[in-house]
Amino acid sequence: MAEARFDVLTIGNAIVDVIAPIEPGFLECEGLSEGIMHLVDAERSEYLYQRMPADKRQISGGSSANTAAGVASLGGRAAFVGKVAADPLGDVFADDLKRIGVHYGVSRLVDGPATARSMILLSPDGERTMNTYLGACHQLTPADIREDEIGAATVTYMEGFLWDPTEAKKAFVTAAHYAHKHEKAASFTLSDPFCVHRYRDEFLDLIRSKTMDIVFGNIEELKALYQTDFHGAVQAIAQDAELAAITMGAQGAMAIANGEIITVPAYAVPEVVDVTGAGDLFASGFLLALARERDLRTALQAGCLAASEVISHIGARPVADLQAMAAGHGIGV
């Protein structure tokens, strides 16, 4: 097995987040369900963009790209694979990754849709409702998956949000194949109940076939996957997955492996400002700890700590030095 060049390589949607707080009643007026990710076309995207408050912020995002950013903030070696267009937002996205030290070498889309963006509407309680125009990021194909990069990563992580396009599915399976060929781990996240309801059978097959070694999810996603209550879903995934990491919001997180269940509490934060990216940052801490052969309890603690930082401010990427935070809490990643 070759020595790893990256601790964690993530694959997913390359999106620029447009974030703004909203007044009570806005979601109802626009026919949106709170806390859910809605897919929108270019026209709807522009409409919502214009309806958002003037103080909106534009920040490079995308679920697994946020995870890569978290790995880098924790002092890890991170890489990201995702598609942007050869346009100004694509430049912003790539420049952001370079600035924070995440390797990004995917070719730009020249003839095709624009770089993706997600309008994230923040309710007063911190809950976020996403309205995502996927654009160029859905143009990822197996040709963008490089064996030398996957083989150089201790663990590869993929997001369920990118399971829609046929070519992207092939890219995921190709990446998992390369990871296993080089004796490395492949993992994915269920991403959202919306994704699980659409692709429940396919996600179960990814887990049961051992195409994916590690699965991430939250309580609602896990319940949707097994169509039962939380206790039943935990018992089911214990049978199906080699390793599962489940976030439980204010109750912390659990890891399920080899018939054992380990739980850790969440880290308290003075105020929950924006839960966008909480699951993404949990994955960054958990994956980096695993990549560096830490035990599952340490991995859970690292994940919960990273998540606690990102929910304390607007935006889905850390603003504090996560490596220093982990050291301050005695978490060795």
Side-chain angles (χ1 to χ4, degrees):
M1 184 172 64
E3 183 179 352
R5 184 157 56 102
F6 308 116
D7 294 302
V8 182
L9 179 146
T10 72
I11 303 173
N13 289 324
I15 300 174
V16 175
D17 291 334
V18 183
I19 307 171
I22 54 171
E23 297 294 328
F26 183 91
L27 297 178
E28 291 81 1
C29 181
E30 296 300 333
L32 298 170
S33 299
E34 186 178 41
I36 299 296
M37 192 277 285
H38 306 83
L39 292 175
V40 299
D41 59 19
E43 182 179 359
R44 175 70 167 167
S45 168
E46 182 60 28
Y47 168 80
L48 288 173
Y49 183 86
Q50 296 300 331
R51 290 273 288 131
M52 291 174 75
D55 58 344
K56 50 186 173 282
R57 298 174 57 194
Q58 297 189 154
I59 309 168
S60 293
S63 176
S64 66
N66 295 335
T67 298
V71 170
S73 182
L74 282 161
R77 300 164 299 170
F80 173 72
V81 175
K83 204 75 169 176
V84 298
D87 61 15
L89 279 182
D91 293 338
V92 168
F93 186 90
D95 289 346
D96 278 355
L97 289 188
K98 181 178 180 180
R99 177 180 54 81
I100 62 177
V102 174
H103 172 79
Y104 179 59
V106 181
S107 62
R108 304 284 188 89
L109 184 67
V110 176
D111 296 314
T115 295
R117 66 184 180 183
S118 180
M119 276 64 65
I120 300 175
L121 309 174
L122 298 179
S123 299
D125 63 356
E127 186 61 82
R128 88 281 195 224
T129 302
M130 295 184 289
N131 301 272
T132 304
Y133 168 61
L134 293 167
C137 68
H138 261 200
Q139 305 301 310
L140 188 77
T141 75
D144 296 305
I145 307 300
R146 293 171 45 184
E147 182 176 354
D148 63 320
E149 289 187 345
I150 303 297
T154 300
V155 59
T156 294
Y157 172 81
M158 298 165 253
E159 63 178 83
F161 282 136
L162 190 53
W163 192 250
D164 274 297
T166 300
E167 290 300 302
K169 291 182 183 182
K170 293 177 182 177
F172 273 32
V173 174
T174 298
H177 168 72
Y178 287 153
H180 293 152
K181 178 180 176 181
H182 291 269
E183 301 179 41
K184 307 293 177 55
S187 62
F188 88 117
T189 175
L190 299 172
S191 288
D192 191 277
F194 168 87
C195 298
V196 178
H197 288 306
R198 286 168 67 90
Y199 298 112
R200 176 176 176 269
D201 290 341
E202 293 175 55
F203 283 179
L204 284 170
D205 182 64
L206 286 174
I207 298 167
R208 290 168 174 166
S209 67
K210 310 308 180 188
T211 300
M212 299 295 170
D213 308 298
I214 310 164
V215 59
F216 289 80
N218 63 29
I219 292 174
E220 294 306 316
E221 292 156 8
L222 194 65
K223 286 161 59 177
L225 184 65
Y226 290 102
Q227 298 182 332
T228 185
D229 61 19
F230 184 51
H231 176 76
V234 168
Q235 298 306 310
I237 203 165
Q239 296 297 316
D240 288 344
E242 292 187 22
L243 171 59
I246 308 301
T247 56
M248 303 182 295
Q251 282 70 53
M254 69 167 56
I256 308 160
N258 301 318
E260 182 181 13
I261 298 176
I262 300 170
T263 63
V264 303
Y267 287 87
V269 296
E271 180 186 7
V272 176
V273 176
D274 175 12
V275 299
T276 310
D280 307 334
L281 268 293
F282 170 82
S284 67
F286 192 91
L287 288 167
L288 180 59
L290 281 190
R292 293 183 170 177
E293 301 183 345
R294 308 297 191 255
D295 60 64
L296 290 178
R297 185 170 299 278
T298 300
L300 288 168
Q301 291 171 336
C304 286
L305 184 69
S308 75
E309 191 282 337
V310 83
I311 66 174
S312 67
H313 57 78
I314 291 178
R317 292 187 178 175
V319 296
D321 184 334
L322 292 183
Q323 186 175 21
M325 280 185 65
H329 283 82
I331 302 172
V333 290

